[in-house]
Amino acid sequence: MHKLRVAQLNVEIDYKYETMTKQSEAYKCDFEKPDIVVSASDEAIEKMHEEYPHLSLNDCEYMLTGFIFYNKLLQYDGFMLHSSTVVLNNEAYMFSAPSGTGKSTHTQLWLKEFGDKAYILNDDKPAIRFFNDGIYAYGTPWSGKTDQNVNKKVPVKAIIFIERSENNHIEKMGATETLKMLLYQGFRSRGKTGTENFLDMSEKIVNKIGVYKLGCNISREAVLTVYNEINGGKLK
Amino acid sequence: MKIKSGYLLREVAGSFVVVPVGEETLDFSGVITLNESGAQLWKKLEKGMSKDDVVKEMLSEYDAPEDVIRKDVDEFIEKLTGADLLE
């Protein structure tokens, strides 16, 4: 068993393949009692590999451990939002969309624009947790196809759902549409309690966080459209 | 008449949403949004009330003529049937 601290939770976890070994390094931590135990058995990993032969055992371990962790996270006022999350001036901008839309492409443009002031917190599967003093995003060992994640806790500034578009435009998203998008792009369990927790957290997002709908192309102007809208800025 | 089990109706931030829970989520990953009267209808059908009883209750709860309510209930049931949500 390895001991990690992820999203302010003590995680006892089994892994042996390359990706988890590498990705977990920055999260190692000692503790007495685990909050969450993540155990993906060899049988479960092999069964998944048989079902999806194009995924290696390494991939299966990575995906299964992430699935177990994020399932249990729902019991700790947290959930995973499928997004590429970029941090600027210690505030997290979470760009969410179905795979292949261009989340990472967009956040890479932020790194180009803001240089040292920005970094990727998690390129695909950050955790969000809800506390009395605020809502926070976390890097985790599970960051999709890339290894871009940082073991940090950052207040959430905004959640932005992306669509491809020829022109750049951004608008605030209404409550009902926000809920729909969170249900599509957030990870909830199939159980009733997990789903109820997820909906409680969705309500907090609607009430406390700026949520936007962005249509964007791949350009510097796309970055500025978002930045200026959210910060009332006038960057050109 | 009864709505299939495996769905959770909740009011979230002023919106009514129905999300699948349990096994149903395997073949349905969507979400249904309802207005307030839709949510009331859903609750009654969830309990397995007959169409006539639903109409009767809606009549006592909403200030609308019976033919209007009956038409709305019919349409709602039609939509649920189309989405294969009724037993």
Side-chain angles (χ1 to χ4, degrees), chain A residues 1 11 13 53 79 101 111 118 132 160 171 179 197 211 215 218 228:
Chain A
M1 279 284 185
V11 182
I13 181 168
F79 72 91
T101 305
L111 301 187
N132 288 335
I160 306 104
E171 59 196 68
L179 268 179
N197 293 349
V211 182
I218 302 170
N228 286 338

Side-chain angles (χ1 to χ4, degrees), chain B residues 1-79:
Chain B
M1 196 165 305
K2 195 170 182 197
I3 288 175
K4 284 183 179 173
S5 63
Y7 294 90
L8 179 71
L9 168 68
R10 273 278 306 271
E11 184 180 357
V12 185
S15 299
F16 292 91
V17 292
V18 174
V19 291
V21 291
E23 295 300 310
E24 293 294 327
T25 42
L26 293 174
D27 27 79
F28 177 72
S29 61
V31 47
I32 303 164
T33 55
L34 299 171
N35 60 18
E36 201 261 333
S37 53
Q40 292 307 324
L41 281 173
W42 181 280
K43 283 182 198 162
K44 295 179 200 311
L45 292 170
E46 214 175 26
K47 286 187 280 188
M49 283 174 72
S50 73
K51 196 205 281 185
D52 283 342
D53 285 347
V54 170
V55 172
K56 225 182 279 170
E57 274 205 16
M58 292 299 277
L59 258 176
S60 69
E61 289 162 18
Y62 289 87
D63 186 19
E66 181 170 348
D67 56 330
V68 173
I69 286 184
R70 195 166 282 278
K71 194 171 142 273
D72 284 353
V73 172
D74 279 339
E75 276 176 20
F76 192 72
I77 288 172
E78 214 170 283
K79 277 189 191 164

Side-chain angles (χ1 to χ4, degrees), chain A residues 51-69:
Chain A
E51 266 179 64
Y52 306 96
H54 64 286
L55 297 172
S56 66
L57 289 169
N58 173 64
D59 297 341
C60 292
E61 176 183 78
Y62 187 51
M63 292 169 78
L64 266 181
T65 49
F67 178 84
I68 295 168
F69 173 77

Side-chain angles (χ1 to χ4, degrees), chain A:
Chain A
M1 279 284 185
H2 302 272
K3 290 179 175 181
L4 310 178
R5 185 138 174 102
V6 184
Q8 289 184 271
L9 292 165
N10 294 337
V11 182
E12 206 167 85
I13 181 168
D14 250 344
Y15 57 77
K16 60 182 176 189
Y17 294 105
E18 188 192 345
T19 303
M20 272 314 289
T21 304
K22 197 171 115 219
Q23 301 278 24
S24 296
E25 203 49 48
Y27 297 84
K28 283 199 169 154
C29 178
D30 204 21
F31 53 77
E32 303 255 302
K33 258 185 78 182
D35 299 305
I36 289 179
V37 177
V38 176
S39 178
S41 67
D42 285 347
E43 294 83 57
I45 292 169
E46 274 155 27
K47 190 169 163 244
M48 185 175 174
H49 176 59
E50 271 166 37
E51 266 179 64
Y52 306 96
H54 64 286
L55 297 172
S56 66
L57 289 169
N58 173 64
D59 297 341
C60 292
E61 176 183 78
Y62 187 51
M63 292 169 78
L64 266 181
T65 49
F67 178 84
I68 295 168
F69 173 77
Y70 287 124
N71 215 342
K72 295 192 173 176
L73 178 63
L74 289 160
Q75 296 163 23
Y76 292 91
D77 291 314
F79 72 91
M80 181 274 277
L81 180 66
H82 184 213
S83 63
S84 178
T85 294
V86 64
V87 175
L88 176 66
N89 300 325
N90 198 38
E91 293 178 313
Y93 296 76
M94 311 186 81
F95 290 91
S96 181
S99 300
T101 305
K103 299 182 285 289
S104 304
T105 306
H106 182 76
T107 50
Q108 288 300 318
L109 292 170
W110 281 60
L111 301 187
K112 205 169 148 196
E113 178 66 28
F114 297 107
D116 289 350
K117 281 183 271 175
Y119 63 91
I120 302 292
L121 183 64
N122 184 312
D123 199 32
D124 199 60
K125 293 182 173 66
I128 304 181
R129 289 193 72 200
F130 299 75
F131 295 97
N132 288 335
D133 74 334
I135 301 174
Y136 299 91
Y138 298 82
T140 69
W142 299 279
S143 52
K145 280 170 280 184
T146 73
D147 58 2
Q148 293 187 62
N149 63 77
V150 180
N151 186 4
K152 278 193 177 168
K153 167 192 182 183
V154 181
V156 176
K157 176 75 171 178
I159 295 173
I160 306 104
F161 291 101
I162 302 192
E163 278 171 11
R164 286 189 197 179
S165 166
E166 272 182 39
N167 306 310
N168 297 304
H169 53 91
I170 186 166
E171 59 196 68
K172 277 252 184 189
M173 192 176 261
T176 308
E177 203 181 350
T178 299
L179 268 179
K180 276 193 193 178
M181 293 312 290
L182 288 172
L183 280 159
Y184 285 127
Q185 297 302 332
F187 180 84
R188 68 176 176 98
S189 77
R190 299 197 149 90
K192 192 161 176 250
T193 315
T195 300
E196 281 179 339
N197 293 349
F198 184 88
L199 292 172
D200 287 340
M201 291 185 270
S202 300
E203 185 159 44
K204 286 181 187 152
I205 287 180
V206 169
N207 291 334
K208 291 181 180 163
I209 300 264
V211 182
Y212 299 85
K213 179 157 74 173
L214 169 71
C216 68
N217 56 30
I218 302 170
S219 68
R220 179 170 180 262
E221 190 200 60
V223 177
L224 300 185
T225 299
V226 180
Y227 180 86
N228 286 338
E229 168 72 22
I230 294 173
N231 296 291
K234 291 191 174 61
L235 287 183
K236 276 185 182 160

